[in-house]
C-alpha cells in the first residue's frame, strides 16, 4: 500500500514542474465552465497521453530485460540518462522539444476552437492531450525511473496499478488546479525553486546509484532484478500488507484444522506449458492442487522431485493436480528446450508452466526455491512449505484436503524412489552455495585483480575452507566464468556431496576431469563422472561430481577442463 501512496504522491507533485506553466492559463480559463463538458474531457485527454507514454516506456524496458546481459547495460544507460535530465533541465528541454512543439500546436488549435464558440468537448480533449504532452517531459524522468524498475521486475498487475496510481495523482493535481484556479497558479510559481532543487538532488542520487552498480559496489542488485528476482523492499511491504502468499513458516501444523490463507492466485502471465495445455485455477475447483515452484539447476528442488512425483502418481485418481511452476534463476533456464529436457530427465509427469517473467512467482509473493502451496477444492491456500524436508507432513496435508473434498486418499502413503542427485544430502554441510559470476560471488582467493568481461590469466593459491580459485585463461561474467582454452577451478569445501552448475559456449561438448585431494574420486564419484573423475559437459544443467561414502569432511576439489568454452555458474553442496 505504501508503494501505491508514494506513486500517487509522485504523480501529484509533478504539477509543480516549470514546463507545465505555459498550459496552465488555458486550464484555468476553463475553471468557470461545466465540469462534464470541459474539465472532464481535458482530464481524459491528459490521462490517455500519460497512458501512451507509460506503455511505450514499459514495452521498451521489458524488451531490454529480455536481452539479459545486454539489457543490464541498456537499463543502466536509461537510468543514467534519466538522472542527467533531472540534474540538467536544458538537457531535458532538448530531448523533449518535439513533444513540447506538438503540445503547443494542439493548445493553439484548442484555443482557436474555443474562440470560435464551437462545442467545448473536442477542444477540451485536445487541450488535455496537449497538457499530457507538455507535462510528460517534466514527469518523464521520475516516471521513467518507476517504469525502468518495474520493467526490470517484469510486467505485472502490480506494475499497472502503480502506473495508475501515478496517473491518478497527476489528474488530482490538475483537478485541484481547475477548482481553485489562479490561487494555486501563484503558489506553484513560489514553489518552483524548491521543486527544482528536489529534482536535481534526486538526479544526483540516481547517477550515484548507476555508478555504484556499474562499478560492482552493489554486485548482487542488477543480476537479481534482471533474472526476475523479487525486490526485497517491495516484497516486504506487500507481505506486511497481506498481499499474495501468507507469511508462512515451516512448522508443525494441525492437519485436522488447517488455516485458510485466502484465495490462490492463478497462472496468468505464465508462458509455455509442458505435459498439458494451459490450466486455469478457477477450472481446477473441486480438485486439490499442489503448486510447486522450482528451477532445474537447483539441487534443493531436485531432491524434492521423488516426493512430488510420488504425490502426483499416488493421488491423481483421488483428485490431486500437481502444477510445476518453473521460475528460472539463471538466464539459460529461460530456454524452453532446456526446461523440456529437465522435465524428461527427472521424469516429471505433471503439468509444468514456464514462469520466465516471474509473473506467477510475484502473484504468490514467493521468495524461495523450492516452495509448495497446497490449495483446497474451493481454491483456497491452506498450507505452504518452503525448502526440503517435512515430506510426511506435506503428504498428510494433501490427504486431509482430499478428505475435506469428499475424496478417499486410501490407506497407504505414496511410494518414493531416489537416485543420483535426487537422493537427500547427508552429514554436516559446512560450505554454502557459491556463485562464480561477479554479480554474486564470494570466496574467490586468486591473487589477481578481477577484470570484468575480459580474458584474464589466473592462478590458484593455497586455499582455506570455502575459498576457491581459478588457473588458466578465464573470462568472469555476471552469471558465470568461461574458460578460454581449458583451465582449472579449485574449491576447498566441507560436505558429502558437491554439485556444479555448468554449461558450454554455443553448446559444444567439453571434457573435464575431477580430483579430490589430488586423487581420482573412485567410489566417491558422483553420477556425472566415472571412477577416474572423467566427465563431459553435455548441456546447461547441474552436475553431481562427488558423493563421498565416508560422509561430510573437508577436502580440496579440483576440476580441469580439457576443451575450451566451459561455463561455470555455481557450486552447491549437500
Amino acid at each position: 500500500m505504501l508503494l501505491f501512496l508514494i506513486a500517487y504522491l509522485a504523480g501529484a507533485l509533478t504539477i509543480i514542474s516549470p514546463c507545465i506553466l505555459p498550459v496552465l492559463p488555458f486550464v484555468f480559463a476553463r475553471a468557470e465552465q461545466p465540469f462534464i463538458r470541459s474539465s472532464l474531457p481535458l482530464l481524459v485527454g491528459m490521462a490517455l497521453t500519460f497512458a501512451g507514454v507509460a506503455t511505450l516506456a514499459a514495452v521498451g524496458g521489458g524488451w531490454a530485460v529480455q536481452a539479459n546481459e545486454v539489457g543490464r547495460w541498456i537499463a543502466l544507460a536509461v537510468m543514467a540518462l534519466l538522472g542527467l535530465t533531472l540534474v540538467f533541465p536544458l538537457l531535458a528541454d532538448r530531448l523533449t522539444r518535439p513533444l513540447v512543439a506538438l503540445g503547443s500546436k494542439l493548445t493553439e488549435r484548442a484555443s482557436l476552437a474555443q474562440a470560435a464558440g464551437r462545442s467545448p468537448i473536442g477542444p477540451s480533449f485536445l487541450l488535455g492531450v496537449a497538457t499530457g504532452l507538455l507535462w510528460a517531459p517534466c514527469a518523464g524522468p521520475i516516471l521513467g525511473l518507476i517504469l525502468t524498475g518495474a520493467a526490470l521486475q517484469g510486467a505485472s498487475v502490480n506494475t499497472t496499478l502503480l502506473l495508475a496510481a501515478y496517473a491518478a495523482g497527476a489528474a488530482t493535481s490538475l483537478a485541484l488546479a481547475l477548482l481553485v484556479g489562479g490561487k494555486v497558479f501563484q503558489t506553484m510559481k513560489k514553489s518552483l525553486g524548491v521543486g527544482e532543487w528536489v529534482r536535481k538532488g534526486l538526479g544526483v542520487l540516481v547517477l550515484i546509484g548507476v555508478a555504484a552498480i556499474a562499478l560492482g559496489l552493489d554486485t548482487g542488485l542488477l543480476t537479481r532484478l534482471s533474472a526476475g528476482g523479487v525486490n526485497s523492499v517491495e516484497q516486504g511491504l506487500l507481505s506486511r500488507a497481506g498481499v499474495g502468499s501468507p507469511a508462512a513458516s515451516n512448522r508443525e501444523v494441525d492437519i485436522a484444522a488447517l488455516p485458510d490463507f485466502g484465495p490462490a492466485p492463478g497462472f496468468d502471465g505464465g508462458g509455455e506449458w509442458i505435459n498439458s495445455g494451459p490450466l486455469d485455477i478457477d477450472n481446477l475447483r473441486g480438485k486439490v492442487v499442489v503448486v510447486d515452484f522450482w528451477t532445474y539447476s537447483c539441487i534443493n528442488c531436485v531432491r524434492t522431485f521423488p516426493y512430488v512425483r510420488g504425490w502426483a502418481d499416488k493421488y491423481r485418481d483421488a483428485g490431486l493436480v500437481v502444477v510445476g511452476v518453473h521460475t528460472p534463476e539463471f538466464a539459460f533456464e529461460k530456454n524452453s528446450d532446456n526446461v523440456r529436457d529437465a522435465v524428461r530427465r527427472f521424469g516429471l509427469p505433471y503439468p509444468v508452466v514456464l514462469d520466465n517473467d516471474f509473473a506467477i512467482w510475484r502473484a504468490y509473493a514467493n521468495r524461495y526455491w523450492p516452495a509448495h502451496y497446497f490449495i483446497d477444492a474451493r481454491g483456497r491456500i491452506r498450507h505452504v512449505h518452503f525448502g526440503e524436508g517435512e515430506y510426511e507432513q506435506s503428504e498428510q496435508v494433501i490427504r486431509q484436503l482430499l478428505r475435506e473434498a469428499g475424496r478417499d486418499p486410501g490407506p497407504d502413503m505414496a511410494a518414493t524412489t531416489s537416485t543420483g542427485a535426487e537422493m537427500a544430502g547427508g552429514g554436516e554441510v559446512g560450505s554454502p552455495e557459491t556463485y562464480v559470476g561477479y554479480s554474486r560471488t564470494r570466496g574467490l582467493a586468486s591473487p589477481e585483480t578481477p577484470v570484468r568481461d575480459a580474458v584474464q590469466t589466473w592462478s590458484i593459491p593455497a586455499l582455506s575452507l570455502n575459498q576457491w580459485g581459478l588457473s588458466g585463461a578465464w573470462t568472469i561474467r555476471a552469471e558465470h566464468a568461461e574458460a578460454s582454452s581449458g583451465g582449472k577451478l579449485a574449491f576447498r569445501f566441507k560436505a558429502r556431496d558437491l554439485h556444479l552448475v555448468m554449461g558450454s559456449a554455443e553448446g559444444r561438448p567439453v571434457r573435464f576431469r575431477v580430483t579430490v585431494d589430488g586423487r581420482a574420486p573412485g567410489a566417491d564419484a558422483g553420477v556425472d563422472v566415472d571412477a577416474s573423475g572423467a566427465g563431459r559437459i553435455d548441456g546447461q544443467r547441474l552436475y553431481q561430481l562427488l558423493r563421498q561414502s565416508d560422509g561430510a569432511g573437508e577436502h580440496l576439489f579440483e576440476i580441469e577442463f580439457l576443451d575450451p568454452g566451459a561455463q561455470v555458474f555455481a557450486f552447491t553442496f549437500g
Side-chain angles (χ1 to χ4, degrees):
M1 193 66 187
L2 180 59
L3 288 177
F4 298 118
L5 178 61
I6 291 171
Y8 178 85
L9 292 175
L13 292 174
T14 56
I15 198 169
I16 69 172
S17 301
C19 62
I20 199 63
L21 291 176
V23 81
L24 285 179
F26 300 100
V27 176
F28 294 141
R30 280 169 161 67
E32 301 299 326
Q33 299 186 23
F35 180 82
I36 298 297
R37 296 182 60 82
S38 180
S39 302
L40 182 60
L42 184 146
L43 293 174
V44 170
M46 185 200 74
L48 289 176
T49 305
F50 262 110
V53 172
T55 299
L56 290 175
V59 170
W63 174 86
V65 172
Q66 292 300 316
N68 294 318
E69 184 63 22
V70 175
R72 176 180 186 271
W73 293 105
I74 291 175
L76 281 174
V78 170
M79 291 178 72
L81 181 61
L82 293 170
L84 288 171
T85 59
L86 287 167
V87 176
F88 303 107
L90 289 179
L91 175 61
D93 178 66
R94 288 181 179 275
L95 291 175
T96 59
R97 195 168 291 170
L99 285 177
V100 174
L102 177 58
S104 297
K105 289 182 180 179
L106 291 175
T107 301
E108 182 180 359
R109 182 178 299 178
S111 299
L112 292 174
Q114 182 186 9
R118 294 199 292 271
S119 170
I121 294 179
S124 295
F125 179 80
L126 285 178
L127 184 58
V129 173
T131 303
L133 290 172
L134 289 169
W135 202 336
C138 309
I142 301 172
L143 179 61
L145 290 173
I146 295 174
L147 288 168
T148 300
L152 283 169
Q153 295 183 52
S156 68
V157 173
N158 190 58
T159 298
T160 302
L161 293 176
L162 280 173
L163 293 172
Y166 186 94
T172 301
S173 290
L174 192 53
L176 179 64
L178 284 166
L179 292 172
V180 180
K183 294 181 180 179
V184 173
F185 187 50
Q186 295 300 322
T187 303
M188 288 176 189
K189 286 184 176 180
K190 295 178 181 179
S191 67
L192 291 179
V194 176
E196 278 302 291
W197 278 110
V198 171
R199 283 165 55 83
K200 289 181 179 181
L202 179 59
V204 170
L205 291 176
V206 170
L207 293 175
I208 291 173
V210 169
I213 294 170
L215 294 174
L217 300 181
D218 179 9
T219 54
L221 176 61
L222 250 290
T223 294
R224 285 195 295 272
L225 291 177
S226 65
V230 177
N231 182 289
S232 60
V233 175
E234 180 181 347
Q235 186 57 63
L237 291 169
L238 290 175
S239 296
R240 284 192 289 273
V243 178
S245 72
S249 61
N250 297 339
R251 62 185 184 273
E252 288 295 323
V253 297
D254 184 353
I255 301 298
L258 294 171
D260 186 334
F261 294 115
F267 308 110
D268 294 341
E272 183 178 345
W273 285 78
I274 301 171
N275 291 339
S276 81
L279 299 180
D280 184 276
I281 195 69
D282 291 331
N283 293 336
L284 292 174
R285 295 288 174 85
K287 302 280 189 179
V288 173
V289 180
V290 174
V291 176
D292 174 20
F293 284 92
W294 65 289
T295 187
Y296 78 81
S297 73
C298 165
I299 185 58
N300 307 98
C301 300
V302 171
R303 291 198 288 237
T304 67
F305 289 158
Y307 303 93
V308 181
R309 279 197 310 261
W311 301 337
D313 291 339
K314 166 70 174 175
Y315 301 109
R316 181 185 298 110
D317 294 339
L320 175 69
V321 176
V322 175
V323 179
V325 179
H326 185 274
T327 312
E329 181 177 15
F330 297 108
F332 66 78
E333 291 176 305
K334 295 183 177 183
N335 185 300
S336 61
D337 291 336
N338 288 350
V339 181
R340 285 184 175 276
D341 178 66
V343 169
R344 177 191 57 79
R345 283 189 293 107
F346 294 118
L348 307 183
Y350 43 81
V352 172
V353 57
L354 273 61
D355 188 29
N356 287 350
D357 295 328
F358 279 61
I360 305 171
W361 176 285
R362 283 193 298 271
Y364 279 81
N366 186 47
R367 284 168 282 179
Y368 303 101
W369 292 284
H372 299 116
Y373 293 78
F374 299 80
I375 302 166
D376 67 18
R378 299 172 300 138
R380 315 282 296 183
I381 297 176
R382 301 290 298 283
H383 182 61
V384 181
H385 186 273
F386 302 128
E388 301 179 58
E390 300 181 351
Y391 300 112
E392 182 176 350
Q393 175 179 279
S394 294
E395 186 171 356
Q396 291 291 0
V397 169
I398 293 172
R399 294 171 65 84
Q400 174 62 22
L401 295 180
L402 288 171
R403 284 191 287 266
E404 289 182 11
R407 306 298 184 92
D408 180 11
D412 302 323
M413 302 284 280
T416 60
T417 56
S418 306
T419 59
E422 293 183 354
M423 296 177 65
E428 179 187 355
V429 177
S431 294
E433 182 176 18
T434 300
Y435 296 88
V436 175
Y438 59 70
S439 63
R440 285 185 284 179
T441 193
R442 58 180 169 180
L444 176 59
S446 293
E448 292 75 19
T449 300
V451 178
R452 296 182 174 185
D453 302 309
V455 178
Q456 186 177 4
T457 301
W458 297 82
S459 60
I460 300 175
L463 299 176
S464 300
L465 180 62
N466 296 329
Q467 288 186 330
W468 63 281
L470 301 165
S471 70
W474 290 79
T475 301
I476 297 187
R477 304 192 185 279
E479 282 195 342
H480 66 272
E482 182 174 325
S484 299
S485 56
K488 181 181 289 188
L489 186 152
F491 196 116
R492 183 167 290 278
F493 72 101
K494 183 179 181 180
R496 187 191 69 180
D497 303 341
L498 183 147
H499 310 86
L500 196 54
V501 179
M502 298 188 292
S504 63
E506 301 177 5
R508 295 188 301 263
V510 174
R511 296 169 298 146
F512 62 82
R513 188 173 302 278
V514 166
T515 61
V516 183
D517 298 327
R519 299 184 298 274
D524 293 333
V527 295
D528 290 302
V529 296
D530 61 22
S532 70
R536 187 179 72 163
I537 297 175
D538 56 12
Q540 295 169 311
R541 62 181 179 89
L542 179 142
Y543 292 78
Q544 186 187 70
L545 303 180
L546 295 178
R547 173 169 279 260
Q548 301 177 98
S549 57
D550 61 351
E554 183 175 331
H555 301 279
L556 176 64
F557 165 84
E558 293 177 287
I559 181 169
E560 182 178 6
F561 297 99
L562 308 178
D563 301 304
Q567 296 176 334
V568 181
F569 291 81
F571 287 90
T572 59
F573 304 91

